[in-house]
Amino acid sequence: MTTTRLRKPIKHFPIIRSTLLILSMASIPFILFLFLSLSHSTHSHSHFHSHSHYIHIQQACKATRFPHQCQTSLSSLFNNPNPIHIIQSAITLSSQNLFTAQSMLKTFLDASTGNRSRTTVAKSCLQVFQYSHHRISLTSHALSRGRTKDARAFMSAALAYQYNCWSGLKYANDTSLVFKTMSFLESLTILSSNALAMILNYDLFGNDTASWRPPRTERDGFWEGYGSGTFGSGPSVPANLTPNVTVCKEAGSGCYETVQEAVDAAPDDVDVGGGKFVIHIKEGVYEERVRVPLRKRNVVFLGDGIRKTIITGSANVGLQEGMTTYNSATVGVVGDGFMAKDLTIQNTAGANAHQAVAFRSDSDLSVIEKCEFIGNQDTLYAHSLRQFYKSCRIIGNVDFIFGNSASFFQDCEILVQPRQARPKKGENNAITAHGRTDPAQSTGFVFHNCLVNGTDKYMELYYSKPKVHKNYLGRPWKEYSRTIFIHSFLEALITPQGWMPWSGDFGLNTLYYGEFKNTGPGSNLTKRVSWSSQVPCRVSFKEMTGFIISVISSSWDVRFQKCHGENGIPNPASDQFCW
Ligand SMILES: *[C@@H]1O[C@H](CO)[C@@H](O)[C@H](O)[C@H]1NC(C)=O
Ligand SMILES: *[C@@H]1O[C@H](CO)[C@@H](O)[C@H](O)[C@H]1NC(C)=O
Ligand SMILES: *[C@@H]1O[C@H](CO)[C@@H](O)[C@H](O)[C@H]1NC(C)=O
Ligand SMILES: *[C@@H]1O[C@H](CO)[C@@H](O)[C@H](O)[C@H]1NC(C)=O
Ligand SMILES: *[C@@H]1O[C@H](CO)[C@@H](O)[C@H](O)[C@H]1NC(C)=O
Ligand SMILES: *[C@@H]1O[C@H](CO)[C@@H](O)[C@H](O)[C@H]1NC(C)=O
C-alpha cells in the first residue's frame, strides 16, 4: 500500500490560494474584490468593524446546522463582509475542500488496484466530485446575479454529490485511508450544508441577518409562502421539433444504429436555454447503455411511441460484481435541459437482481413526457436537480421512484408489478424513497393528478390475498425525505397506513409526507401513520403552490392555472382547495 499524508480540512478561508483555485468559478471579480479589500484593511477602524463583522458572521452562522464549524471556518473573514460575501466565502471553502477530497480519492484509487469494488467506489466518487465542482461554480454564479432559487438548487445538488461519495465509501470502510477520507468528507459536507443554509436564508430574508434562522421544514409548520396562487399544467416538450439526427435499426439507411452514437454527435457546451439537439429514435428495440454526459446539454430524445421505441438494458447490483445502483441505469443523463418523449426505457434484470435502474437523471430543468419506465427495484432514479415528468408511466415495486431531486410528476400512471420471487407470499413495496439528507436542500417529490395502481397481473395477485400484499406511498431513504401526493387517485393496493418506515424510527420526525385531496379506495386517511401529514387547512393555496414552485423552480416556465375542476373547467369559487 502506498503511504499518504492525509490532509486536514481547510478550516479557514485562505485568501491567496483562492484566487488560483477559483479561476473556473465565474466569481473572479468578487474574489479579487475580497482579496483587495482584505489586503487593504487597516487598523484604524478595526474596533468598530471587528465587532460588527463578528455580529454579522455570528448571525449568519446561527442560521446553519453547524454554527460552531461555520464560525471557525469564517473567522478570518473581516472588513465588515456583507451577507453575500459571507456566503460566497462559505461556497469557496466548500470548493477548496472538494479539491482536497478529490486528491484523497485519487490516492485511494491508486491504492485500490486489483480490487474491483474499491476501484468502482473511487471512480464513482471522482465522477460525482466533478459534478459537485460544476454545481458549486454555478451556485456562485447564480448568487452573484440574484438568482437565489437557482443557487439553492445547485448547492443542494453539490451537497448531494459529496454525500453520495461518503455513502459509497461506507462499503469500503475497512482501511484507515478510507476511514480518514470519510472523516474528511464529513467535514466537507458540514461546510457545504452551512453554505446552503445561508443561501436559503438569504433567499427568505435577504440581507437582514438578524432574521436568519436554522432551516425549518413543513414538519415544523413552516411553508415558504410566495406562491402564485395558480396551479395547472407544467412545461412540455415542444411540438414539431425537427430532428437533427435519426437512429434506426436499418443498417445503411444513413441513420445511426445506436442511440449513444447519436448522443456523441451532439455539440458540447450549448447554452442551457439555447438550441436543442433533437434525436429521433425510430421504432425498434435498442439494447444498449446510453449516457448523456455533463457537456451535452439540451439533448432531446423523440421516440415513435411507448413500447414502439424501446431502450433496454439489464445491468444490476444483485448479480454483477462491482456494479453500483448509479451505474446500473440503462439510460443515464447528466447534461442539463434534457427532454424525452414517446418512448420506453427499461431494465429487464428481474426482481431477484436487486437494484436495477432503467432511467437515471441529474439533468436540471429536464422535461420527460409520455415516456414509460419499466423495472422492479429502483426503476427511476431521479437523482438530483429539477425534473418534470408529464403523462409518464412508471412501473416497478421496491422504492421504484427515488433520489434526491426536486421532481414533479404530473398526470402520471404509477404501477406496481409483481416481484417474481414467490409472489404469493406477499411483500412490502414502497413507491417512493426520496433521499433528502439536509433540511435546506430544495428537493422533494410532488405527484399531481397521478394514478397509483398495479399492473393487471399485480392487481390479480393483490386481490387474491389483499392482507399480504402491502404497498406504501413512500419510505424515508434519508432523514429529510419529502414527498407529496396531490389530487391523485390511489387504488385499493395502497395500505391504510399509507407510508412505511425505513428502519426503526429513522427520519420519522424529520421527513415530510403530505397528502392533499386524493381520491380512490387507497386515499382514506383515517388509518394513516401518525408521522404522515395532511396538508393542513390553514396552509393556503398560495403557500402550497409556493412550496411546489420552490421545489421545482421559479425560473422555469411552470405555468399554473387556477382552480380547474374535475373536467378541466375553471372553478372560480375559492382560492383554497379547489384544485
Ligand atoms: C476489496 O475491497 C473490499 C471493500 O473494501 C473488501 O471488503 C475486500 O476484502 C477487498 N478484496 C480483496 C481481495 O482485497
Ligand atoms: C468506518 O470505520 C471506522 C473504523 O472501524 C469506524 O469507527 C467508523 O464508524 C466507520 N464509519 C462509518 C461511516 O461507517
Ligand atoms: C444585499 O446587499 C447587497 C449589497 O448591498 C445588495 O447588492 C443586494 O441586492 C442585497 N440583497 C437583497 C436581497 O436585498
Ligand atoms: C439542430 O437543428 C436545429 C433546427 O433544425 C438547428 O438550428 C441546429 O443548428 C442543429 N444543431 C446541430 C448541432 O446541427
Ligand atoms: C387499476 O387496475 C385494475 C387492474 O388492471 C383495473 O381493473 C382498474 O380499473 C384500475 N383502476 C383505475 C382507477 O384505473
Ligand atoms: C375510511 O375508513 C374508515 C375506517 O377505516 C371508515 O369508517 C370510513 O367510512 C372511511 N371513509 C371513507 C370516505 O371511505
Side-chain angles (χ1 to χ4, degrees):
M1 268 208 24
T2 34
T3 53
T4 20
R5 197 175 60 85
L6 289 159
R7 268 167 280 184
K8 287 239 167 67
I10 303 170
K11 290 247 167 70
H12 299 280
F13 183 65
I15 308 305
I16 310 292
R17 282 221 291 154
S18 66
T19 53
L20 291 173
L21 290 171
I22 223 67
L23 281 177
S24 62
M25 288 189 50
S27 56
I28 302 161
F30 158 69
I31 294 298
L32 289 179
F33 164 76
L34 188 66
F35 176 60
L36 292 173
S37 53
L38 284 165
S39 39
H40 291 140
S41 73
T42 60
H43 294 286
S44 55
H45 46 267
S46 64
H47 260 92
F48 172 76
H49 272 146
S50 72
H51 182 70
S52 73
H53 114 259
Y54 178 74
I55 292 289
H56 237 22
I57 290 176
Q58 196 182 42
Q59 281 176 340
C61 284
K62 257 200 199 145
T64 66
R65 297 175 70 204
F66 310 98
H68 175 70
Q69 287 91 332
C70 175
Q71 293 224 17
T72 312
S73 69
L74 297 172
S75 61
S76 57
L77 252 186
F78 32 175
N79 210 19
N80 204 15
N82 69 28
I84 289 286
H85 294 159
I86 294 172
I87 297 171
Q88 291 284 18
S89 306
I91 293 170
T92 303
L93 202 56
S94 171
S95 171
Q96 287 167 339
N97 280 276
L98 184 56
F99 278 108
T100 309
Q102 217 159 359
S103 73
M104 291 173 91
L105 260 303
K106 280 187 188 129
T107 305
F108 173 56
L109 180 62
D110 291 342
S112 300
T113 318
N115 185 316
R116 184 109 173 253
S117 60
R118 283 186 197 162
T119 310
T120 306
V121 172
K123 284 185 176 161
S124 304
C125 280
L126 289 169
Q127 184 173 56
V128 291
F129 283 171
Q130 189 203 340
Y131 303 157
S132 190
H133 267 305
H134 178 62
R135 297 298 168 188
I136 289 176
S137 81
L138 290 178
T139 305
S140 175
H141 188 80
L143 201 61
S144 65
R145 277 157 188 74
R147 293 184 359 242
T148 49
K149 296 275 185 293
D150 291 341
R152 286 172 62 181
F154 297 144
M155 198 64 205
S156 296
L159 172 59
Y161 297 134
Q162 294 164 11
Y163 177 86
N164 287 154
C165 173
W166 178 86
S167 174
L169 280 172
K170 268 195 293 195
Y171 302 100
N173 182 19
D174 48 21
T175 65
S176 67
L177 174 60
V178 175
F179 177 50
K180 282 173 185 157
T181 306
M182 290 190 77
S183 308
F184 185 86
L185 284 173
E186 280 154 29
S187 59
L188 171 61
T189 52
I190 285 173
L191 293 173
S192 302
S193 165
N194 286 347
L196 179 61
M198 289 190 256
I199 297 169
L200 166 68
N201 274 280
Y202 181 72
D203 187 34
L204 296 177
F205 307 110
N207 287 315
D208 177 21
T209 50
S211 306
W212 289 19
R213 47 183 305 170
R216 289 165 294 170
T217 71
E218 294 76 17
R219 211 49 194 286
D220 312 318
F222 178 71
W223 293 78
E224 287 187 28
Y226 47 77
S228 64
T230 59
F231 193 84
S233 185
S236 59
V237 178
N240 307 322
L241 288 171
T242 313
N244 291 83
V245 295
T246 302
V247 183
C248 71
K249 301 301 289 182
E250 302 97 49
S253 55
C255 56
Y256 290 105
E257 283 175 55
T258 66
V259 179
Q260 188 63 52
E261 284 173 287
V263 171
D264 294 343
D268 285 343
D269 303 325
V270 172
D271 272 351
V272 173
K276 301 190 191 321
F277 188 81
V278 181
I279 300 171
H280 176 203
I281 308 167
K282 284 196 173 172
E283 179 164 357
V285 179
Y286 301 86
E287 189 172 348
E288 58 175 306
R289 177 181 185 273
V290 180
R291 293 294 177 263
V292 180
L294 194 59
R295 297 181 68 181
K296 306 282 186 196
R297 298 185 198 129
N298 299 343
V299 171
V300 183
F301 286 3
L302 291 183
D304 281 341
I306 284 177
R307 307 232 168 157
K308 288 189 173 135
T309 296
I310 301 172
I311 306 176
T312 187
S314 59
N316 65 85
V317 174
L319 312 173
Q320 281 174 287
E321 198 210 324
M323 180 54 71
T324 61
T325 304
Y326 193 83
N327 290 338
S328 70
T330 302
V331 175
V333 180
V334 187
D336 286 346
F338 177 77
M339 293 188 175
K341 192 174 175 181
D342 294 324
L343 48 84
T344 292
I345 297 172
Q346 64 187 22
N347 188 314
T348 60
N352 300 331
H354 300 293
Q355 297 90 341
V357 174
F359 181 66
R360 183 245 305 151
S361 174
D362 289 278
S363 175
D364 196 30
L365 304 183
S366 53
V367 179
I368 312 294
E369 195 178 341
K370 293 187 185 147
C371 286
E372 180 186 50
F373 303 99
I374 309 176
N376 285 283
Q377 181 171 347
D378 293 357
T379 305
L380 177 59
Y381 199 172
H383 190 259
S384 67
L385 293 152
R386 297 166 289 188
Q387 311 181 14
F388 193 86
Y389 293 84
K390 176 129 187 134
S391 307
C392 289
R393 187 190 294 142
I394 304 156
I395 303 177
N397 39 51
V398 180
D399 305 331
F400 63 101
I401 302 173
F402 72 115
N404 192 7
S405 60
S407 288
F408 194 116
F409 300 85
Q410 190 170 57
D411 306 338
C412 289
E413 199 179 353
I414 318 286
L415 301 178
V416 173
Q417 73 159 331
R419 283 151 77 166
Q420 278 96 344
R422 294 188 288 162
K424 290 220 157 54
K425 188 171 158 271
E427 70 284 302
N428 293 309
N429 295 319
I431 286 164
T432 67
H434 188 257
R436 188 165 72 143
T437 61
D438 191 291
Q441 279 174 321
S442 55
T443 59
F445 290 158
V446 178
F447 293 84
H448 172 239
N449 201 36
C450 291
L451 165 67
V452 178
N453 201 1
T455 60
D456 294 351
K457 234 172 151 180
Y458 186 81
M459 290 315 280
E460 201 178 302
L461 190 65
Y462 171 79
Y463 283 118
S464 73
K465 209 175 178 187
K467 282 216 157 62
V468 301
H469 299 288
K470 296 193 169 164
N471 298 280
Y472 300 86
L473 295 171
R475 58 175 182 156
W477 185 25
K478 302 294 169 193
E479 222 171 332
Y480 293 91
S481 187
R482 182 157 73 162
T483 299
I484 294 188
F485 282 81
I486 306 162
H487 247 198
S488 292
F489 189 94
L490 313 180
E491 257 296 0
L493 80 168
I494 295 300
T495 54
Q497 286 71 29
W499 305 83
M500 180 185 167
W502 182 269
S503 170
D505 61 1
F506 174 76
L508 302 188
N509 294 318
T510 42
L511 58 76
Y512 185 79
Y513 288 160
E515 290 172 72
F516 186 80
K517 291 248 157 178
N518 297 306
T519 52
S523 69
N524 189 330
L525 296 168
T526 50
K527 296 219 169 108
R528 287 296 193 249
V529 289
S530 60
W531 38 271
S532 73
S533 311
Q534 267 179 276
V535 178
C537 292
R538 61 176 184 77
V539 173
S540 71
F541 181 80
K542 204 173 156 188
E543 284 171 311
M544 189 70 179
T545 57
F547 165 76
I548 291 161
I549 289 165
S550 78
V551 164
I552 291 299
S553 165
S554 58
S555 62
W556 204 357
D557 189 23
V558 185
R559 288 185 205 288
F560 295 106
Q561 281 148 16
K562 197 169 186 174
C563 299
H564 279 238
E566 295 296 66
N567 35 23
I569 298 164
N571 168 5
S574 159
D575 228 24
Q576 270 178 287
F577 309 136
C578 61
W579 39 297

